[in-house]
């Protein structure tokens, strides 16, 4: 009788799922940044480039067509507007730098995720890695709040920022929000009972660090996304999870009094736009007006990639402050200039004009429409909604909602690229629609 020979290291490596290259990108976001080192590339960015290269080498080795015609159109749309905006950049170096960043986030890394994810098991592996990252960052953030070692908020070092530091106060909020969306998707979709219970528990645990991030944009985007996920999964299946979330929020805030006064003030500031808004709200709306002014000046092509800081003062009113103050979480006091409007749609409109916005937003809208269509088809064919569909559509909805209050920037931006890749896999990947054997 013939005996199977043990596999060598090369053979064993080939049997590993290719999606591990993307999981490594997610895992590296758990590394702490050096105090005061908020700028520059993060190790996760470097590994994302290696993942794209790895994907390209696999395509060459396997000699297979990289993308379907529909996927090529969806990923090719943003390149048109980016190329035009790069030509009109304010400096020779700004154009290639901005072009590379946009291509990384919205074209190259999402396409690599689409091609490296083979099936729904790979999606679950990647999704759980995002939940794990969120739990780690959330645990660090809660510790910062409890011990008073977080970023400064209203003069107190209590703002939860995880390992991202005060220079990227949105980093932990983004990671925790996306992890919560992933957990809700796993809890609502068709998965084994134990996994659903574990995912629901993770979602409840992530509510606390999300609240302690004091990020109004993340709160709004997460609330909207979870409501959409509940509707997508079906009302009957979602009632238990929704009731548990409401009960947990009531216990955390009402029962234990977790940050009650400051949280109430922060929530109230969301709607306080004209009636005594705080300076951060004033700065945000002032920069939005400045971005709109840049677009009116050059409606078709915008002011060029990375052109917002150069043209900001010419279009902003005197209500704009000179910068935002950061302190705490292991870093010293620093005043950071306001270099973006904190609204992705207005940033694209200002720097890329109508051509760029229609191309980029058109790509996102296509992913959303195709993803929802695939979800409806899966519900019809399988009798229920797969967890992968709820996760992928939820991540896309979260990004598109959060873009109304934030733009790309910081280490967590690479996670945005992974989210668009998962959304593209569900909307464009043929394997996403295959019904697994029961």
């Amino acid at each position: 009788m013939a005996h199977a020979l043990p596999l060598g290291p090369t053979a064993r490596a080939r049997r590993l799922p290719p999606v591990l290259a993307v999981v490594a990108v997610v895992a590296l976001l758990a590394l702490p940044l050096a105090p005061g080192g908020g700028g520059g590339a993060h190790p996760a960015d470097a590994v994302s480039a290696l993942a794209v290269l790895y994907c390209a080498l696999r395509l060459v080795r396997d000699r297979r067509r990289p993308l379907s015609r529909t996927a090529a159109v969806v990923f090719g749309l943003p390149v048109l507007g980016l190329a035009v905006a790069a030509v009109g950049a304010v400096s020779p170096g700004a154009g290639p730098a901005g072009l590379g960043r946009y291509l990384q986030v919205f074209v190259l890394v999402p396409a690599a995720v689409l091609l490296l994810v083979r099936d729904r098991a790979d999606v679950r592996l990647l999704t759980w890695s995002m939940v794990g990252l969120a739990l780690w960052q959330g645990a660090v953030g809660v510790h910062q709040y409890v011990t008073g070692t977080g970023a400064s908020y209203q003069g107190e070092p209590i703002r939860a920022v995880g390992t991202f530091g005060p220079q990227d106060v949105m980093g932990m909020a983004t990671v925790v929000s996306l992890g919560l969306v992933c957990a809700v998707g796993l809890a609502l979709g068709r998965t084994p009972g134990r996994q659903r219970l574990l995912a629901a528990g993770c979602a409840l645990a992530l509510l606390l660090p999300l609240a302690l991030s004091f990020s109004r944009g993340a709160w709004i985007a997460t609330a909207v996304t979870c409501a959409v996920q509940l509707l997508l999964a079906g009302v009957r299946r979602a009632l238990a999870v929704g009731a548990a979330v409401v009960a947990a929020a009531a216990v955390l805030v009402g029962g234990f009094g977790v940050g009650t006064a400051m949280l109430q003030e922060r929530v109230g500031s969301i709607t306080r736009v004209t009636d005594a808004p705080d300076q951060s709200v004033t700065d945000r709306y002032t920069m939005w007006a400045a971005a709109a002014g840049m677009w009116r000046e050059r409606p078709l092509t915008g002011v060029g990639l990375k052109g917002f800081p150069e043209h900001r003062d010419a279009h902003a009113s005197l209500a704009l402050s000179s910068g935002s103050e950061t302190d705490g979480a292991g870093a010293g006091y620093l005043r950071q200039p306001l270099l973006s409007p904190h609204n992705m749609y207005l940033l694209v409109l200002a720097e890329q004009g109508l051509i760029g916005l229609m191309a980029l937003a058109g790509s996102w809208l296509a992913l959303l429409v195709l993803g929802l269509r695939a979800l409806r088809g899966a519900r019809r064919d399988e009798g229920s909604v797969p967890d992968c569909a709820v996760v992928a559509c939820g991540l896309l909805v979260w990004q598109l909602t959060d873009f109304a209050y934030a733009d790309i920037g910081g280490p967590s931006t690479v996670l945005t690229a992974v989210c668009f890749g998962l959304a593209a896999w569900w909307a464009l990947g043929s394997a996403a629609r295959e019904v697994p054997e029961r």
Side-chain angles (χ1 to χ4, degrees):
M1 180 182 295
H3 296 278
L5 295 177
L7 296 176
T10 303
R12 286 196 298 267
R14 288 180 178 177
R15 296 187 63 180
L16 294 175
V19 74
L20 288 178
V22 187
V23 173
V25 175
V26 176
L28 282 174
L29 287 174
L31 295 177
L33 293 176
H42 190 273
D45 291 304
V47 175
S48 72
L50 293 177
V52 172
L53 179 60
Y54 169 63
C55 180
L57 293 176
R58 282 179 57 87
L59 292 175
V60 173
R61 186 196 67 186
D62 298 340
R63 298 180 180 179
R64 64 187 178 95
R65 183 178 178 180
L67 297 172
S68 66
R69 185 174 302 175
T70 303
V73 171
V74 171
F75 285 123
L77 270 177
V79 180
L80 173 64
L82 291 171
V84 174
V87 173
V90 293
S91 65
L99 179 63
R101 186 61 160 168
Y102 273 93
L103 289 178
Q104 174 204 15
V105 177
F106 299 116
V107 179
L108 297 178
V109 174
V113 174
L114 166 63
L115 296 169
L116 292 175
V117 172
R118 300 172 302 180
D119 50 30
R120 297 181 183 182
D122 284 356
V123 173
R124 294 187 185 103
L125 175 61
L126 183 54
T127 300
W128 277 112
S129 72
M130 294 174 65
V131 174
L133 173 66
L135 290 172
W136 161 248
Q137 292 289 353
V140 174
V142 172
H143 178 267
Q144 291 170 335
Y145 176 85
V146 172
T147 59
T149 56
S152 178
Y153 178 76
Q154 294 186 354
E156 299 183 43
I158 58 170
R159 186 168 190 175
V161 293
T163 64
F164 294 98
Q167 284 78 31
D168 185 17
V169 295
M170 291 297 300
M172 190 211 76
T174 298
V175 169
V176 169
S177 297
L178 294 176
L180 195 153
V181 169
C182 288
V184 169
L186 291 169
L188 294 177
R190 189 183 65 252
T191 50
R194 289 184 179 180
Q195 286 196 36
R196 287 203 301 271
L197 289 175
L198 178 59
C202 292
L204 294 176
L206 290 172
L207 288 174
L208 179 58
L210 178 61
L212 298 180
S213 70
F214 295 100
S215 173
R216 293 168 293 201
W219 293 347
I220 294 172
T222 305
V224 169
T225 302
C226 290
V228 171
Q229 288 179 303
L230 292 173
L231 293 175
L232 293 177
V235 178
R236 291 183 179 179
R237 198 168 193 175
L239 281 178
V241 177
V245 170
V246 172
V251 170
L252 287 174
V253 178
F256 293 110
V258 177
T260 303
M262 288 188 176
L263 284 175
Q264 289 178 348
E265 189 279 333
R266 192 65 167 174
V267 172
S269 68
I270 294 175
T271 58
R272 196 166 59 245
V273 178
T274 58
D275 182 19
D278 59 36
Q279 186 58 47
S280 64
V281 174
T282 300
D283 287 340
R284 185 181 300 269
Y285 284 93
T286 301
M287 289 189 293
W288 286 8
M294 297 177 200
W295 167 69
R296 285 191 294 268
E297 184 178 291
R298 299 181 185 178
L300 288 180
T301 60
V303 297
L305 291 181
K306 291 188 173 293
F308 183 87
E310 295 293 332
H311 294 81
R312 183 200 63 184
D313 293 340
H315 295 86
S317 68
L318 296 177
L320 182 66
S321 64
S322 58
S324 61
E325 299 176 341
T326 63
D327 197 4
Y333 173 83
L334 182 67
R335 192 168 186 85
Q336 292 183 304
L338 303 174
L339 302 178
S340 71
H342 297 294
N343 182 303
M344 191 65 199
Y345 304 106
L346 288 176
L347 177 63
V348 174
L349 192 63
E351 295 188 344
Q352 303 179 39
L354 282 175
I355 295 176
L357 182 63
M358 292 178 65
L360 200 55
S363 174
W364 303 338
L365 182 61
L367 287 179
L368 182 61
V369 171
L370 292 173
L372 293 176
R373 182 190 299 175
L375 184 146
R376 185 178 61 180
R379 188 201 302 271
R380 181 182 62 250
D381 298 337
E382 305 176 34
S384 59
V385 180
D387 55 335
C388 302
V390 184
V391 169
C393 293
L395 291 175
L396 183 58
V397 170
W398 191 92
Q399 290 294 343
L400 298 184
T401 306
D402 186 66
F403 278 166
Y405 304 93
D407 47 50
I408 58 175
S412 60
T413 297
V414 72
L415 206 58
T416 298
V418 174
C419 292
F420 274 101
L422 281 173
W425 177 84
W426 174 253
L428 304 171
S430 59
R433 301 181 179 86
E434 296 177 358
V435 181
E437 297 183 359
R438 297 180 184 272

